Amino acid sequence: MTEARFDETIHAPVRLRICGLLNKADRLDFAVLRDTLGISDATLSKHIKTLADSHYVTISKSSSAKRTDARRVTWLSLSPTGRSAFAAHVRALQDIADSRA
Amino acid sequence: MENDFERPTREAAAEALNTLHADRERLANTVEAPRLLLVAFGALGAWWVAAAATTDPGSSYEPPTSGWIALAGGLAIAYLIRRETGIRFRVMGARAGWAVAGIVATCLALFSVSLGLVSSDLRWAVTLTSTTAFLITTWLAGVAYRSAIAELHRD
């Protein structure tokens, strides 16, 4: 069983939600993540950068058939470190939620 | 490093967990099955079974190379589905595994039946096995995709 460990980087509400969605997929397109969370490109980029700087999220790019310009699809995924930290953080949240008032 | 000052209350922790669950539901509900590409899987299965009509069953029978082309085509369609939906699934679920096995088994069985029809001078009847392959492969590809989406709902 995963050991509970509260992670301040992940706990910020938007970053927790980002990790929650990335944890369910192998990779997600930046646009899918943005639309699911209902936030702006800039906000998502800012939080992704924080998570990437912590080595929790990895970013890769690929060409897009839908686009006629040179822009590429940005794929995001949780690194093994990120998955482990997210699992430990969720465990910590569950412990807090299950604790007696 | 832990910081007790930052720790949420019991209610806030429960709300955060509920939000994670709601996000997963939203993602699962917004991912649409790429129908055209699922039909492409069916067309690929139909084409492979129909390739039996171009063979000459008997002692000089040589298996067609269409199997490798179909495999490459299947991988290409899977890649296009990822690009179309913007999601690469981490797990697809047991139902998806059974569906893929079902596609392979069905196409192999229908290919064998088609060879039998060709050797019985019923080459025209391969149209029927090919159509059957199209319908079953398309349906099972849909089952596999829906299984992957259902996995998104799981905690």
Side-chain angles (χ1 to χ4, degrees):
Chain A
M1 182 179 284
T2 306
E3 187 183 341
R5 184 164 41 83
F6 198 82
D7 189 306
E8 288 179 33
T9 303
I10 289 177
H11 187 63
V14 175
R15 290 200 286 273
L16 178 66
R17 295 176 67 197
I18 291 170
C19 291
L21 287 171
L22 291 179
N23 190 51
K24 289 303 288 184
D26 184 45
R27 293 196 309 184
L28 275 182
D29 180 1
F30 182 95
V32 171
L33 190 57
R34 176 201 62 206
D35 294 345
T36 306
L37 294 172
I39 59 177
S40 67
D41 282 358
T43 304
L44 181 56
S45 294
K46 187 183 78 175
H47 288 292
I48 289 295
K49 184 178 185 311
T50 303
L51 289 166
D53 288 345
S54 301
H55 305 289
Y56 286 172
V57 165
T58 55
I59 303 166
S60 59
K61 298 191 182 239
S62 67
S63 59
S64 169
K66 286 182 180 176
R67 289 176 173 166
T68 53
D69 58 18
R71 285 184 299 165
R72 288 149 50 106
V73 175
T74 302
W75 290 97
L76 305 167
S77 59
L78 269 189
S79 67
T81 309
R83 287 193 194 282
S84 169
F86 176 72
H89 184 77
V90 167
R91 181 76 198 158
L93 286 177
Q94 286 168 339
D95 286 351
I96 294 168
D98 293 342
S99 65
R100 289 171 183 272
Chain B
M1 185 180 293
E2 292 192 358
N3 183 344
D4 286 338
F5 183 74
E6 296 281 343
R7 281 179 180 271
T9 62
R10 195 162 66 105
E11 289 74 19
E15 191 181 328
L17 293 170
N18 287 338
T19 302
L20 292 179
H21 181 75
D23 282 341
R24 281 199 300 271
E25 293 290 314
R26 194 175 303 115
L27 177 63
N29 292 333
T30 53
V31 175
E32 287 185 19
R35 294 183 196 284
L36 202 62
L37 290 168
L38 295 180
V39 169
F41 269 124
L44 193 64
W47 171 77
W48 186 68
V49 170
T54 64
T55 60
D56 186 18
S59 56
S60 60
Y61 172 73
E62 285 185 24
T65 55
S66 56
W68 294 107
I69 299 172
L71 181 64
L75 292 174
I77 294 170
Y79 172 75
L80 289 174
I81 287 176
R82 282 204 297 271
R83 288 231 314 218
E84 179 71 22
T85 59
I87 181 168
R88 181 169 157 176
F89 294 102
R90 193 172 163 206
V91 286
M92 292 192 69
R95 206 150 41 97
W98 283 110
V100 171
I103 288 172
V104 172
T106 300
C107 287
L108 282 172
L110 288 171
F111 188 83
S112 297
V113 171
S114 299
L115 287 178
L117 291 169
V118 170
S119 64
S120 306
D121 278 339
L122 293 169
R123 205 172 287 263
W124 61 270
V126 172
T127 311
L128 300 177
T129 53
S130 178
T131 304
T132 306
F134 171 76
L135 294 173
I136 294 177
T137 303
T138 302
W139 173 63
L140 287 175
V143 168
Y145 198 80
R146 284 190 293 277
S147 168
I149 291 175
E151 284 296 314
L152 291 176
H153 289 282
R154 288 176 185 263
D155 282 328

